[in-house]
Amino acid sequence: MRLNGEISYEDEGEVERESETQKLIVGYALTSKKKKSFLQPKFESFARNKGIVFVAIDQNRPLSDQGPFDVVLHKLSGKDWCQILEDYRQQHPEVTVLDPPDAIKHVHNRQSMLQDVAAVKLSNCYGKVDVPKQLVIKRDPSSIPGEVAKAGLKLPLVAKPLLVDGTAKSHELSLAYDEFSLSKLEPPLVLQEFINHGGVLFKVYVVGEAIKVVRRFSLPNVCRRELSEAAGVFNFPRVSCAAASADDADLDPCIAELPPQPLLEKLAKELRCRMGLQLFNIDMIREHGNSNGMGKCQSMSRYSRTFF
């Protein structure tokens, strides 16, 4: 399946209805929370005008007995569901599954999710994409100060849970200002060097070849004085959620400027090929005061309602 361009609701009344033979049937298996946020009436009406029909998958019936589907869109977890979906893919290779369970595993672990980004080594005339220097700690919090010193990481450090399981806790982060506080953190976790980025994060949504970028408020810059005076670990809720939108904020143009589209297209293409995913998003920041267009990918995840 190939999706091009962006979808806007503004021209809904002008869209001609597709004929019955041109309909695209999308079977969906979503959590109740995701279904409520994603399949809103206005969106479903707009999709129908585009010839796209969403059909709920009954998890109590064999998947092969349902449909036929052109696309299976899912966001469920569990070994049984993954096996059902993998069997279905083998039996119905003509159906596009968004996305294969084995490919999704890449973004359930913060250690593996950025390995492909780092391997891309993307740099061209539009800028460079890199990942923050990071360290994985799987156990023994008392060893963290020594491991940080050995790895040469500079304070402050952003601490994130290693696994991303869809819970609110897995999206929380902490900022550790001094080495004495590091042993208070709870492994397994990923430590990343904090990079001043003007308090703005770019959430890059990828759907096939289509790319959509939105601005989100993020952690503020940390000045030298604050670093010398602050101590302890500070916890933060999810900073990149939709409620933190900065698209309509009055921002410094140098901070608000979106990453170059050619750079994003190249990055998205490379990641689609490496990970086998068609539906994902990337959190990117631009180092504050850096004029060479360098961007750093902080994390990746699967889709949310903002994709469409």
Side-chain angles (χ1 to χ4, degrees), residues 194-230:
F194 180 79
I195 298 170
N196 283 336
H197 52 283
V200 174
L201 174 151
F202 302 99
K203 211 162 187 67
V204 183
Y205 296 97
V206 179
V207 187
E209 295 183 359
I211 297 173
K212 173 69 176 180
V213 186
V214 297
R215 302 178 187 88
R216 299 283 171 84
F217 284 114
S218 182
L219 300 182
N221 289 347
V222 176
C223 65
R224 292 183 178 179
R225 179 179 177 180
E226 182 181 357
L227 183 58
S228 64
E229 297 178 351

Side-chain angles (χ1 to χ4, degrees), residues 102-121:
D102 286 343
I104 294 173
K105 291 179 181 179
H106 281 275
V107 294
H108 284 173
N109 185 301
R110 285 192 166 91
Q111 181 178 16
S112 61
M113 70 168 59
L114 293 181
Q115 288 176 342
D116 287 309
V117 179
V120 171
K121 300 184 184 299

Side-chain angles (χ1 to χ4, degrees), residues 65-83:
D65 291 350
Q66 303 179 59
F69 302 122
D70 298 295
V71 177
V72 169
L73 177 68
H74 71 101
K75 194 171 186 181
L76 298 177
S77 58
K79 185 176 180 180
D80 291 343
W81 169 253
C82 290
Q83 188 59 56

Side-chain angles (χ1 to χ4, degrees), residues 1-267:
M1 181 183 68
R2 177 174 176 173
L3 298 174
N4 290 311
E6 299 175 10
I7 295 177
S8 171
Y9 296 124
E10 296 178 358
D11 60 349
E12 182 177 349
E14 303 176 6
V15 178
E16 296 183 0
R17 291 184 178 276
E18 302 287 344
S19 68
E20 294 293 326
T21 58
Q22 294 178 310
K23 284 185 177 179
L24 184 77
I25 309 300
V26 179
Y28 66 88
L30 307 172
T31 62
S32 57
K33 179 181 179 180
K34 187 60 64 178
K35 178 182 176 181
K36 183 178 180 180
S37 64
F38 176 67
L39 287 176
Q40 299 180 2
K42 188 174 182 180
F43 170 71
E44 288 193 272
S45 175
F46 178 80
R48 283 195 298 270
N49 286 333
K50 285 286 190 177
I52 304 172
V53 178
F54 288 89
V55 178
I57 291 175
D58 186 348
Q59 298 178 51
N60 296 317
R61 294 173 52 203
L63 187 53
S64 292
D65 291 350
Q66 303 179 59
F69 302 122
D70 298 295
V71 177
V72 169
L73 177 68
H74 71 101
K75 194 171 186 181
L76 298 177
S77 58
K79 185 176 180 180
D80 291 343
W81 169 253
C82 290
Q83 188 59 56
I84 289 172
L85 202 56
E86 190 58 40
D87 292 342
Y88 181 82
R89 290 182 64 233
Q90 297 297 325
Q91 297 168 10
H92 298 274
E94 76 282 1
V95 178
T96 299
V97 175
L98 296 176
D99 273 303
D102 286 343
I104 294 173
K105 291 179 181 179
H106 281 275
V107 294
H108 284 173
N109 185 301
R110 285 192 166 91
Q111 181 178 16
S112 61
M113 70 168 59
L114 293 181
Q115 288 176 342
D116 287 309
V117 179
V120 171
K121 300 184 184 299
L122 182 56
S123 179
N124 59 25
C125 60
Y126 296 102
K128 178 181 179 181
V129 176
D130 202 352
V131 298
K133 191 172 182 180
Q134 64 180 27
L135 174 67
V136 175
I137 303 292
K138 295 186 177 180
R139 52 184 174 272
D140 189 10
S142 65
S143 70
I144 297 178
E147 293 293 328
V148 166
K150 183 179 178 180
L153 268 63
K154 298 178 181 178
L155 295 165
L157 296 176
V158 179
K160 305 176 183 180
L162 178 62
L163 300 181
V164 183
D165 57 11
T167 63
K169 185 175 179 60
S170 69
H171 291 287
E172 293 177 353
L173 59 85
S174 303
L175 193 61
Y177 278 91
D178 65 281
E179 60 178 305
F180 302 104
S181 301
L182 294 175
S183 57
K184 298 179 182 179
L185 299 173
E186 299 180 12
L189 53 80
V190 173
L191 296 175
Q192 294 180 339
E193 287 189 339
F194 180 79
I195 298 170
N196 283 336
H197 52 283
V200 174
L201 174 151
F202 302 99
K203 211 162 187 67
V204 183
Y205 296 97
V206 179
V207 187
E209 295 183 359
I211 297 173
K212 173 69 176 180
V213 186
V214 297
R215 302 178 187 88
R216 299 283 171 84
F217 284 114
S218 182
L219 300 182
N221 289 347
V222 176
C223 65
R224 292 183 178 179
R225 179 179 177 180
E226 182 181 357
L227 183 58
S228 64
E229 297 178 351
V233 175
F234 296 84
N235 299 319
F236 296 89
R238 187 171 181 175
V239 297
S240 61
C241 62
S245 174
D247 279 331
D248 297 325
D250 184 15
L251 300 171
D252 183 330
C254 294
I255 294 175
E257 182 184 1
L258 298 179
Q261 187 70 13
L263 187 71
L264 295 179
E265 290 174 354
K266 180 65 174 178
L267 176 62

